[in-house]
């Protein structure tokens, strides 16, 4: 979901859910670590953009003009190269059938109205049919589901686990499934539309009112003003439904999520929950206990519909889900939904978009989420530092604040909602992402996420229509220049990549592969920043250092965020850390694990330790103590 909506989201959540801060409780982190032996890496790929080698990139271009990628573009070779980058999970973004402005009526698919579709290729978060896939992605539209099933199998054969999106807060205004399994019905099919709210209605209504298309502002016109028979400023919806971001207006604002309708989870317009709540002290019960709790409870219709959708895809071999705007849906639903998923696949990878830190522990403990975005703390802080404004001294307090849930906070520097690192509005240079990437990938036991094209330094300069440059558009047909060069006419070998792109991808490959094989990165952590700030001459807030260790591996990690200055100093290890690392007096060689071209000597004397560091601009070392 796009960042400019976060303020509205926070206001909405505070109105609908009266959540109170709870004291932090330590999760069973050691138990979690013992189950997951190594770190995981998620590769998010925008499915329709990945294999598209058409470079027209015309604003508001059609599928025929700008091209589109297909499931079949993820060949065995392509998937092998992604796996070899150091990836364990691949998140195919935009798979469920969402609204698109391409005519598929000959396949029995109704056309979608540009007045309630963002862009021409459509938002992947306005899902029209949860039981099928985006027809754009298929070579043979009639066999689109089978083509995706084949992609799941190819991904698994390549050693990759598969993640897709589920968007429980809202669906497209024209939701209509063509392939409902027996016993399931569409959202809203049984709703009593004479009522604003009923516990088993899937939507909220404004009885007696008709939906009106928003008034367009700032020169915006659907499809860029193209003459299109459906772009007539009208969309038939009687009675009008509430909009996805919670707007109750029958005529939403164009900045509302007007292309979607909000799903009702059994919360009445005054905010009262018409369902059972979890018992006191249930926070740390496992998913089996949560599943058993709901077995004899009556839950709202929308809960059952989304549970059925998740289990449908799990049964097809999907290994996990990324849940859009999870905090806009009550945490009790997640307890119900996720415990059902885990009963079918205990290893399912469940990732949620949650932006309010005071809700993190609820959605992890009560909601049984595996992972949440660490956006508003680590990502935002790293971005500020990469832009030359922030201080690395702000990072250790984040780790301290999240230490009881650190394993559950997924780290990233790019995703489909965020600006590309190399775009001028972010850092303007992909090299500035290197130290932040090392920190993001090594500071905790949590998974790391990389967005396709990030490993090439993609700038996202194209104006494709609805989407804004600086972010790779998720709404328009087009291609991604740096990815096109790497795809190299479907050879997936970087044959057209620049030297800079090849070198950057090599950096990511070295880093990610180290993280997924390291014992220490699933072990303990200690900050070195505060101690060296007090005890080390020339140490400063443009570098960051910490230790990571396990029984078999001991690491000192240091990054220089400065774009111009070399730094040299004697990095100090506090006495308590020397004791934890079981270092006896003497000299120990340390060697960088990224490029193997930097060594130094760790000197231990009388329980104190120091190591000489000489580090270049934007350089990082993962120093292994031998």
């Amino acid at each position: 979901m796009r960042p400019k909506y976060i303020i509205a989201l926070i206001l909405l959540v505070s109105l609908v859910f009266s959540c109170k801060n709870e004291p932090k409780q330590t999760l069973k982190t050691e138990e979690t670590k013992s189950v997951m032996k190594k770190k995981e890496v998620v590769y998010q790929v925008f499915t329709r953009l990945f294999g598209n080698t058409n470079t027209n990139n015309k604003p508001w271009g059609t599928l025929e003009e700008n091209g589109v990628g297909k499931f079949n573009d993820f060949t065995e070779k392509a998937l092998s190269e992604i796996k070899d980058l150091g990836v364990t999970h691949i998140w195919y973004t935009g798979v469920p059938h969402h609204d698109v402005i391409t005519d598929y009526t000959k396949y029995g698919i109704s056309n979608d109205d540009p007045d309630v579709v963002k862009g021409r290729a459509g938002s992947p978060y306005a899902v029209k049919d949860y039981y099928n896939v985006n027809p754009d992605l298929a070579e043979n539209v009639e066999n689109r589901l089978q083509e995706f099933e084949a992609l799941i199998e190819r991904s698994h054969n390549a050693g990759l686990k598969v993640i897709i999106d589920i968007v429980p807060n809202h669906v497209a205004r024209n939701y209509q499934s063509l392939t409902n399994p027996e016993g399931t019905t569409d959202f809203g099919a049984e709703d009593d539309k004479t009522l604003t709210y009923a516990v088993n209605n899937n939507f909220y209504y404004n009885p007696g009112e008709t939906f009106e298309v928003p008034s367009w502002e700032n020169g915006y016109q659907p499809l860029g003003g193209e003459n299109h028979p459906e772009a007539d400023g009208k969309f038939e919806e009687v009675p009008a439904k509430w909009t996805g971001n919670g707007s109750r207006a029958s005529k939403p604002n164009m900045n509302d999520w007007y292309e979607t309708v909000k799903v009702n989870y059994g919360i009445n317009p005054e905010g009262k929950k018409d369902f059972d709540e979890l018992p006191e002290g249930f926070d740390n019960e496992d998913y089996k206990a949560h599943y058993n709790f709901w077995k004899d409870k009556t839950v709202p219709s929308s809960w059952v519909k989304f549970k059925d959708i998740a289990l449908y895809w799990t049964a097809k071999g999907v290994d996990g889900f990324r849940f859009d705007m999870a905090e806009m849906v009550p945490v009790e639903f997640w307890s119900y939904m996720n415990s059902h998923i885990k009963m079918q696949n205990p290893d399912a990878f469940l990732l949620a978009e949650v932006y309010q830190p005071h809700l993190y522990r609820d959605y992890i403990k009560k909601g049984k989420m595996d992972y949440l975005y660490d956006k508003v703390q680590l990502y935002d802080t790293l971005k500020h530092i990469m832009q030359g404004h922030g201080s690395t001294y702000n990072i250790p307090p984040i780790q301290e604040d999240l230490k009881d849930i650190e394993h559950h906070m997924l780290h990233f520097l790019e995703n489909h909602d965020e600006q590309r690192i190399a775009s001028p509005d972010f850092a303007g240079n992909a090299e500035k992402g290197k130290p932040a990437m090392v920190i993001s990938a090594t500071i905790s036991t949590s998974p790391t996420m990389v967005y396709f094209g990030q490993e090439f330094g993609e700038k996202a300069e194209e104006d494709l229509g609805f989407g804004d440059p600086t972010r790779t558009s998720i709404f328009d047909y087009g291609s991604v220049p740096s990815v096109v060069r790497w795809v190299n006419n479907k050879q997936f070998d970087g044959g057209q990549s620049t030297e800079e792109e090849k070198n950057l991808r090599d950096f990511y490959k070295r880093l990610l592969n180290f993280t997924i094989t390291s014992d220490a990165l699933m072990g303990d952590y200690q900050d070195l920043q505060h101690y060296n700030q007090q005890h080390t001459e020339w140490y400063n807030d443009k570098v960051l250092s910490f230790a990571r260790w396990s029984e078999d591996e001991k690491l000192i990690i240091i990054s220089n965020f400065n774009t111009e200055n070399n730094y040299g100093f004697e990095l100090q290890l506090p006495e308590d850390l020397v004791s934890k690392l079981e270092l006896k007096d003497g000299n120990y060689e340390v060697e960088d694990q990224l490029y193997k071209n930097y060594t130094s000597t760790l000197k231990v004397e009388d329980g104190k330790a120091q190591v000489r560091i000489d580090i270049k601009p934007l350089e990082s070392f993962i120093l292994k103590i031998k």
Side-chain angles (χ1 to χ4, degrees):
M1 192 54 61
R2 295 174 69 78
K4 66 183 180 180
Y5 298 133
I6 293 175
I7 294 175
L9 158 69
I10 292 170
L11 291 172
L12 173 69
V13 173
S14 62
L15 286 171
V16 178
F17 307 114
S18 54
C19 299
K20 60 178 183 243
N21 287 322
E22 294 184 3
K24 296 178 188 177
Q25 300 173 19
T26 301
L27 291 175
K28 299 174 182 177
T29 308
E30 293 304 320
E31 183 179 312
T32 303
K33 292 178 189 175
S34 69
V35 172
M36 197 181 101
K37 298 295 185 184
K38 297 290 192 295
K39 278 176 72 80
E40 295 171 318
V41 173
V42 177
Y43 189 76
Q44 182 192 4
V45 57
F46 208 84
T47 314
R48 77 165 119 84
L49 297 177
F50 173 77
N52 184 22
T53 56
N54 180 324
T55 57
N56 284 342
N57 283 345
K58 173 186 173 182
W60 296 102
T62 64
L63 183 154
E64 291 74 20
E65 291 170 325
N66 284 357
V68 70
K70 304 290 185 179
F71 291 133
N72 289 353
D73 290 329
F74 294 90
T75 63
E76 290 181 5
K77 167 67 171 172
L79 292 168
S80 173
E81 290 295 329
I82 292 170
K83 171 68 175 174
D84 289 346
L85 185 63
V87 173
T88 60
H89 293 65
I90 185 164
W91 166 16
Y92 292 111
T93 306
V95 166
H97 184 180
H98 58 80
D99 282 356
V100 298
I101 307 301
T102 297
D103 190 338
Y104 290 109
T105 52
K106 67 180 179 180
Y107 301 103
I109 299 170
S110 61
N111 279 331
D112 300 319
D113 189 329
D115 291 303
V116 288
V117 177
K118 288 180 176 175
R120 189 184 292 275
S123 168
Y125 299 102
V127 175
K128 176 181 181 175
D129 181 356
Y130 263 114
Y131 288 108
N132 218 312
V133 298
N134 181 359
D136 283 348
L137 303 176
E139 299 286 357
N140 183 336
V141 173
E142 291 176 320
N143 294 332
R144 60 194 184 277
L145 192 56
Q146 290 80 2
E147 288 186 27
F148 181 58
E149 290 170 339
L151 175 56
I152 295 173
E153 184 176 0
R154 286 199 305 280
S155 302
H156 287 165
N157 289 341
L160 295 165
K161 294 191 174 182
V162 172
I163 299 169
I164 65 170
D165 293 279
I166 288 183
V167 190
N169 178 67
H170 48 271
V171 296
R173 296 207 94 94
N174 59 332
Y175 188 92
Q176 180 188 26
S177 178
L178 299 178
T179 51
N180 278 328
E182 186 176 351
T184 64
T185 57
D186 282 351
F187 288 97
E190 290 90 24
D191 283 8
D192 182 346
K193 299 179 183 180
T194 66
L195 301 174
T196 299
Y197 163 83
V199 66
N200 285 313
N201 274 2
N202 298 135
F203 304 127
Y204 300 92
Y205 296 92
N206 292 334
E209 298 184 22
T210 300
F211 172 79
E212 295 182 58
V213 170
S215 297
W216 308 125
E217 303 169 9
N218 303 316
Y220 170 77
Q221 291 294 320
L223 305 183
E226 174 191 311
N227 185 20
H228 187 283
E230 298 286 337
D232 57 2
K234 299 175 184 176
F235 177 76
E236 186 175 348
E237 181 182 283
V238 184
K241 304 181 184 80
W242 292 11
T243 293
N245 64 322
S247 170
R248 304 182 184 189
S250 296
K251 181 177 182 176
N253 185 277
M254 72 169 291
N255 292 318
D256 291 323
W257 306 344
Y258 61 84
E259 79 280 24
T260 66
V261 290
K262 184 165 180 62
V263 175
N264 165 30
Y265 281 87
I267 297 179
N268 74 18
E270 288 70 47
K272 179 181 177 294
K273 297 178 178 181
D274 288 330
F275 48 78
D276 289 280
E277 298 193 48
L278 294 169
E280 192 73 29
F282 220 63
D283 299 22
N284 288 316
E285 295 291 337
D286 66 14
Y287 68 85
K288 294 178 182 177
H290 281 249
Y291 174 81
N292 287 326
F293 173 78
W294 294 109
K295 278 175 69 173
D296 62 351
K297 306 293 189 299
T298 299
V299 299
S301 166
S302 298
W303 294 31
V304 177
K305 279 184 161 60
F306 267 110
K307 178 262 293 180
D308 289 344
I309 288 164
L311 296 186
Y312 170 83
W313 289 109
T314 301
K316 288 189 179 295
V318 169
D319 302 289
F321 303 99
R322 182 268 191 186
F323 298 125
D324 185 79
M325 300 312 289
E327 64 199 307
M328 297 182 75
V329 176
V331 73
E332 292 86 357
F333 161 74
W334 292 115
S335 163
Y336 170 85
M337 169 94 146
N338 289 340
S339 63
H340 276 79
I341 295 171
K342 290 285 190 181
M343 290 298 291
Q344 188 160 314
N345 178 10
D347 297 322
F349 187 104
L350 305 179
L351 168 64
E353 186 182 26
V354 174
Y355 290 131
Q356 298 185 81
H358 76 278
L359 297 180
Y360 287 169
R361 290 162 182 84
D362 269 358
Y363 280 79
I364 293 167
K365 297 176 184 180
K366 293 180 181 178
K368 297 295 137 197
M369 294 296 183
D370 292 318
Y371 307 109
L372 311 179
Y373 280 18
D374 195 347
K375 188 231 182 278
V376 300
Q377 289 179 291
L378 187 64
Y379 168 84
D380 284 351
T381 302
L382 284 171
K383 182 175 184 178
H384 202 51
I385 296 168
M386 293 160 68
Q387 292 175 321
H389 311 307
S391 167
T392 56
Y393 295 150
N394 293 325
I395 293 177
I398 294 172
Q399 296 310 112
E400 178 65 23
D401 182 58
L402 297 174
K403 67 181 180 181
D404 60 315
I405 55 170
E406 60 88 27
H407 175 71
H408 301 272
M409 302 305 299
L410 174 134
H411 294 169
F412 62 90
L413 295 181
E414 288 188 1
N415 65 44
H416 67 276
D417 281 328
E418 306 299 343
Q419 294 171 324
R420 294 287 195 174
I421 294 167
S423 70
D425 288 3
F426 189 155
N429 180 355
E431 295 293 308
K432 292 182 180 179
K434 284 183 171 180
M437 192 63 212
V438 170
I439 299 306
S440 180
T442 63
I443 199 168
S444 80
T445 67
S446 68
T448 305
M449 187 168 77
V450 175
Y451 189 38
F452 85 122
Q454 179 182 342
E455 72 271 36
F456 308 119
E458 174 57 39
K459 296 180 180 179
E461 297 174 307
E462 293 70 35
D463 178 3
L464 292 176
F466 190 90
D468 299 323
T470 79
R471 295 177 178 86
T472 293
S473 175
I474 66 171
F475 305 103
D476 306 293
Y477 292 116
S479 60
V480 181
S482 64
V483 177
V484 171
R485 290 190 284 274
W486 180 80
V487 168
N488 188 27
N489 297 317
K490 309 299 175 71
Q491 294 183 72
F492 307 102
D493 61 2
Q496 298 178 41
S497 296
T498 66
E499 285 304 308
E500 290 81 3
E501 289 168 350
K502 291 176 183 177
N503 290 336
L504 187 63
R505 189 177 192 275
D506 177 66
F507 162 80
Y508 275 87
K509 187 173 183 177
R510 290 171 182 268
L511 174 62
L512 297 177
N513 275 286
F514 175 80
T515 67
I516 63 173
T517 57
S518 169
D519 289 330
L521 296 184
M522 289 306 296
D524 293 298
Y525 158 88
Q526 185 163 325
D527 164 53
L528 297 177
Q529 199 78 349
H530 182 68
Y531 188 83
N532 282 276
Q533 180 186 0
Q534 293 182 321
H535 295 92
T536 302
E537 188 177 11
W538 304 115
Y539 198 84
N540 63 82
D541 75 345
K542 295 305 177 187
V543 297
L544 182 74
S545 61
F546 51 86
R548 299 298 313 275
W549 72 95
S550 66
E551 185 176 342
D552 300 321
E553 187 178 40
K554 300 174 176 65
L555 305 175
I556 299 168
I557 298 169
I558 183 163
S559 288
N560 178 10
F561 286 83
N562 195 289
T563 59
E564 299 175 354
N565 295 338
N566 296 339
Y567 293 117
F569 44 77
E570 301 291 335
L571 186 73
Q572 311 290 314
L573 273 59
E575 292 180 53
D576 67 319
L577 178 59
V578 173
S579 176
K580 291 172 187 174
L581 297 178
E582 299 180 346
L583 297 175
K584 308 299 182 185
D585 284 6
N587 293 338
Y588 299 81
E589 183 184 359
V590 296
E591 181 184 37
D592 174 48
Q593 300 300 293
L594 284 175
Y595 291 97
K596 304 283 188 177
N597 61 1
Y598 181 86
T599 59
S600 188
T601 301
L602 178 69
K603 299 176 181 179
V604 182
E605 186 176 352
D606 296 331
K608 297 181 180 180
Q610 63 181 34
V611 57
R612 176 68 189 181
I613 300 294
D614 291 288
I615 192 166
K616 298 173 185 175
L618 301 178
E619 190 170 36
S620 297
F621 298 135
I622 300 176
L623 299 174
K624 184 174 181 178
I625 302 173
K626 295 189 175 180

